[in-house]
Amino acid sequence: MTHVSIRNLTKIYPGTAEPALDHLSLEIPSGELTALLGPSGCGKTTTMKMIAGLLEPTGGEITFDGRSILRDKPENRGVVMVFQNYLLFPYMSVADNVGFGLRMRKRPKDEIARRVRDMLDLVKLPDLGARKPSELSGGQQQRIALARALIVQPNVLLLDEPLSNLDAHLRFEMRDLIRSLQQEMGITTIFVTHDQEEAVVLADRVALILDGKLRQYDAAQKFYQRPASEAVARFFGGHNFVPGSSTGATFESPLGSLLLPEGAPSGPGTLTVRPESIRIGPAPENTLRVRVSDRIFLGTQTRLKLSQGDVTLDAVLSPDMVEGIGPGDEIDINLPRQSLWVLEPTT
Amino acid sequence: MDRDTATIRSIRFLSGALLIFWLVVPLVPLGIWSFARGWRFPDLLPQEWTLQAWAYAFSDVSGVLQSLWLTIWVALAATALSILVGVPAGRALGLYKFRGKEIVELLILAPVIVPGIAVVLGIHTIFITLGLTNSVWGVILVHLIPTLPYMTLVMAGIFANYDPAYELQARSLGASPLKTFWLVTLPAILPGVIVGALFAFLVSWSQYILTLIIGGGRVVTLPLLLFNFATSGRNDITGAIAMIYILPGIVILILTARQLSGQSGAVGGFGRV
């Protein structure tokens, strides 16, 4: 159980002016599963490598349970990193790969053999010990890479895009495996991903990094309900942004006066609502009359493009709710008060 | 279609036969000479056969054995130094981008392009001031000029096809830098190191001018001894020494034939996943 604390962590690569990572500060509670989320090149892999000791920070501090680890060599930090492409050593058997960390820790041979067997059972691949990594499927390699990391019982586990190389059905299997092993062993785990879906299905808390800066650090659902800025909302697939001004209780805009949830900021700002929160039909509050300008079939869901004056809104609805609605129709919609949020202008 | 494959097959057979003819035929008279007692012009084969030349070659007075051990020692030392310098240099060229990389590549290739005799006189002057002339170590050092390019270029090719993230993974799992090199890097690059080392050995083995000038005639390796006998008109002894001299080349060719012909696939590296 290790509490990881990152303070003002900064990395400037030689020959570049812009920092790859700019004063990142994060408190990662012991035993939690945290995602560092951001587009490629945002500084998240840089952060992981600095925690693992594979890269020297330009400035800032990293502590485990209050003790600085920046002077520790990578092999002494109790941090294990699992790379995106697994990196199983091709010249060793699967069992030797899994036992590698224990061998480096000079454990006795019989103990290594026993713990490798236990670990292979845990990742549900008990019979593959004698194989070579090249004989395994992608999903199996991923599990072996995870087993190889977990066997040394690290204080901190770092995962680089753990689900991105897997196809849809394996993703959920792997997600459940990672979560259950992480919970069982209580290992503080940090993983990086560019995929917001991967972040929210796996993590307790998500840190969104854009352009080397931390934009929001919160529980996953907050990014949908209470995004910190338009950039955050856009990264999470938000489309609907209406400029106007807030009184704290209502939002005044070309759409009229809309009631806001409690705690909304006041002053000039941008109203945002998730496309999937918009409801068809009138309601006691926040009802709007809009024109349907387009209808797009998305498979399990249907997207409606709605407009009123200059304002356009995107709504994503289940097919049975939009039965009989087509382009050109005038319909009533309502915006549930709890689904609205006001973004303060970015300075 | 059958006729096409038959044509290709016969062309392949012909070119193979030609190549073997080209390589083997010049050796035949040397081989015959080494067992002949006199072999005069109109005779197709010598009148008398003898093992005298071989007996002389392996006797203490001829100096052949001493020369053989010296040549082996020089080639092994030059090879070892080539590995020590060529592996890190090849890694830098194959893995990293840096300023002036093209110039470094050109300079490394230069000894292959520029004839040795053009530079060795300049090196000779430098080696005199350093006191390295007329010594085995001077000869070993000067052999690095032609051996190092081969080693470096082979290793650059290996490292271009190598993913250094494996080393980070090993470090992250608790391996020290030394363990990481031994358990992760070396197995990946070993085939390349072996091929490069065999090249370096052969290149050093066949040096004549560099050895002659830097060694000042006192470091008599096999090619120098061979040339002495060849110019003194002892064709029988020349033939015997020549047979000894070409042996490592043939052995190495047989050992590496499979790897060089591409039958075994890669010469090394992990390849990127």
Side-chain angles (χ1 to χ4, degrees):
Chain A
M1 295 295 246
T2 304
H3 178 99
V4 178
S5 177
I6 297 171
R7 263 173 253 121
N8 293 323
L9 194 65
T10 302
K11 178 70 192 179
I12 303 169
Y13 287 102
T16 57
E18 286 292 303
L21 190 71
D22 192 3
H23 292 87
L24 176 76
S25 294
L26 277 180
E27 294 294 326
I28 298 162
S30 183
E32 267 200 17
L33 186 49
T34 296
L36 300 182
L37 173 65
S40 54
C42 77
K44 53 194 196 301
T45 305
T46 299
T47 308
M48 285 241 286
K49 285 190 172 171
M50 289 192 286
I51 299 172
L54 305 173
L55 193 67
E56 188 105 356
T58 311
E61 178 64 282
I62 303 171
T63 61
F64 289 176
D65 292 330
R67 198 183 68 80
S68 172
I69 53 140
L70 286 182
R71 292 193 182 285
D72 295 351
K73 289 189 179 148
E75 61 265 35
N76 299 330
R77 289 192 181 189
V79 178
V80 175
M81 182 160 170
V82 179
F83 288 76
Q84 183 179 5
N85 41 8
Y86 321 137
L87 299 179
L88 298 178
F89 303 127
Y91 303 97
M92 298 178 199
S93 69
V94 166
D96 285 345
N97 263 283
V98 174
F100 186 86
L102 295 179
R103 239 172 100 200
M104 294 306 108
R105 283 160 182 75
K106 299 197 167 63
R107 309 305 305 170
K109 276 214 167 70
D110 50 338
E111 183 197 326
I112 296 178
R114 178 174 52 75
R115 283 173 64 181
V116 166
R117 258 199 318 279
D118 291 350
M119 207 64 224
L120 288 174
D121 282 343
L122 208 57
V123 296
K124 304 189 184 72
L125 295 172
D127 307 318
L128 298 186
R131 302 260 189 102
K132 280 275 165 23
S134 56
E135 296 168 305
L136 305 186
S137 71
Q140 290 171 332
Q141 291 189 32
Q142 167 80 294
R143 287 168 187 228
I144 296 302
L146 192 65
R148 180 175 65 174
L150 289 172
I151 200 166
V152 301
Q153 298 173 330
N155 298 325
V156 177
L157 178 66
L158 303 173
L159 306 170
D160 189 6
E161 311 255 355
L163 306 180
S164 64
N165 281 358
L166 303 173
D167 38 21
H169 71 283
L170 275 178
R171 282 183 140 217
F172 283 100
E173 217 176 286
M174 198 62 206
R175 173 203 176 270
D176 293 343
L177 182 68
I178 292 174
R179 269 217 77 104
S180 67
L181 291 178
Q182 187 266 341
Q183 299 285 326
E184 199 174 309
M185 301 174 81
I187 299 170
T188 308
T189 303
I190 304 167
F191 75 98
V192 304
T193 175
H194 66 277
D195 179 355
Q196 37 113 350
E197 191 192 313
E198 184 173 341
V200 300
V201 299
L202 197 50
D204 297 315
R205 299 224 281 168
V206 177
L208 179 66
I209 302 172
L210 298 174
D211 303 319
K213 289 194 177 70
L214 181 66
R215 299 307 168 108
Q216 189 165 354
Y217 181 41
D218 244 328
Q221 67 270 21
K222 293 275 192 199
F223 286 83
Y224 294 89
Q225 298 163 349
R226 302 287 179 262
S229 68
E230 195 172 319
V232 173
R234 281 192 188 279
F235 192 88
F236 274 81
H239 285 283
N240 301 323
F241 301 103
V242 184
S245 92
S246 161
T247 65
T250 62
F251 190 82
E252 312 299 329
S253 75
L255 293 177
S257 183
L258 295 168
L259 295 169
L260 292 174
E262 257 176 66
S266 55
T270 304
L271 182 81
T272 181
V273 57
R274 299 282 317 167
E276 57 274 15
S277 299
I278 296 176
R279 300 277 167 267
I280 300 279
E285 54 185 45
N286 292 352
T287 299
L288 297 172
R289 186 134 189 103
V290 294
R291 208 182 134 75
V292 179
S293 56
D294 200 1
R295 175 183 163 137
I296 301 151
F297 178 64
L298 300 178
T300 56
Q301 289 184 306
T302 300
R303 180 182 295 270
L304 292 183
K305 290 204 174 291
L306 309 168
S307 61
Q308 191 203 72
D310 291 340
V311 180
T312 61
L313 293 173
D314 258 23
V316 173
L317 298 148
S318 64
D320 53 311
M321 291 170 73
V322 295
E323 192 89 29
I325 299 174
D329 291 352
E330 295 262 333
I331 57 166
D332 279 329
I333 60 165
N334 70 84
L335 310 178
R337 187 203 291 227
Q338 286 304 323
S339 70
L340 299 181
W341 193 243
V342 176
L343 307 170
E344 291 169 86
T346 37
T347 46
Chain B
M1 197 167 149
D2 273 0
R3 265 178 62 185
D4 279 0
T5 49
T7 317
I8 289 171
R9 198 175 294 166
S10 53
I11 289 175
R12 195 184 288 168
F13 176 77
L14 265 177
S15 57
L18 201 68
L19 194 68
I20 290 170
F21 185 76
W22 192 259
L23 289 172
V24 172
V25 162
L27 301 177
V28 171
L30 282 170
I32 295 174
W33 258 120
S34 69
F35 295 104
R37 191 201 297 277
W39 185 16
R40 283 177 191 80
F41 164 62
D43 302 336
L44 199 60
L45 284 172
Q47 302 287 334
E48 273 184 83
W49 300 91
T50 172
L51 284 172
Q52 264 182 11
W54 285 95
Y56 177 75
F58 283 108
S59 72
D60 288 341
V61 279
S62 70
V64 172
L65 283 180
Q66 270 166 286
S67 184
L68 177 67
W69 296 132
L70 177 69
T71 315
I72 289 172
W73 159 241
V74 167
L76 283 179
T79 303
L81 289 175
S82 298
I83 293 173
L84 280 181
V85 180
V87 170
R91 183 184 175 106
L93 287 175
L95 276 185
Y96 309 119
K97 286 197 180 100
F98 51 88
R99 272 171 70 144
K101 185 171 167 179
E102 288 82 6
I103 295 169
V104 173
E105 277 171 346
L106 191 71
L107 285 174
I108 284 175
L109 268 174
V112 183
I113 304 160
V114 180
I117 195 161
V119 284
V120 73
L121 295 172
I123 293 169
H124 190 232
T125 345
I126 298 169
F127 273 26
I128 286 173
T129 54
L130 295 173
L132 281 167
T133 47
N134 305 346
S135 77
V136 175
W137 278 107
V139 169
I140 291 168
L141 276 182
V142 85
H143 277 198
L144 288 180
I145 294 173
T147 59
L148 210 47
Y150 290 100
M151 193 72 214
T152 307
L153 290 177
V154 168
M155 292 319 296
I158 297 287
F159 277 110
N161 194 29
Y162 170 84
D163 188 352
Y166 283 95
E167 294 169 10
L168 297 182
Q169 178 70 80
R171 296 275 279 145
S172 168
L173 287 166
S176 64
L178 199 68
K179 277 262 159 88
T180 301
F181 177 79
W182 194 248
L183 293 172
V184 176
T185 314
L186 194 61
I189 64 169
L190 192 61
V193 174
I194 291 172
V195 169
L198 293 175
F199 270 129
F201 185 89
L202 280 187
V203 168
S204 165
W205 186 261
S206 59
Q207 285 311 306
Y208 178 77
I209 285 291
L210 295 180
T211 316
L212 181 69
I213 292 177
I214 298 299
R218 305 214 188 155
V219 182
V220 184
T221 55
L222 220 42
L224 269 69
L225 193 72
L226 184 63
F227 197 71
N228 285 348
F229 280 103
T231 49
S232 70
R234 289 298 304 267
N235 286 356
D236 51 346
I237 297 169
T238 308
I241 300 173
M243 292 292 109
I244 298 168
Y245 185 52
I246 60 172
L247 199 65
I250 291 169
V251 170
I252 287 172
L253 187 72
I254 292 166
L255 284 178
T256 56
R258 273 187 59 203
Q259 248 157 31
L260 292 177
S261 68
Q263 291 282 326
S264 69
V267 182
F270 291 118
R272 289 185 195 276
V273 183

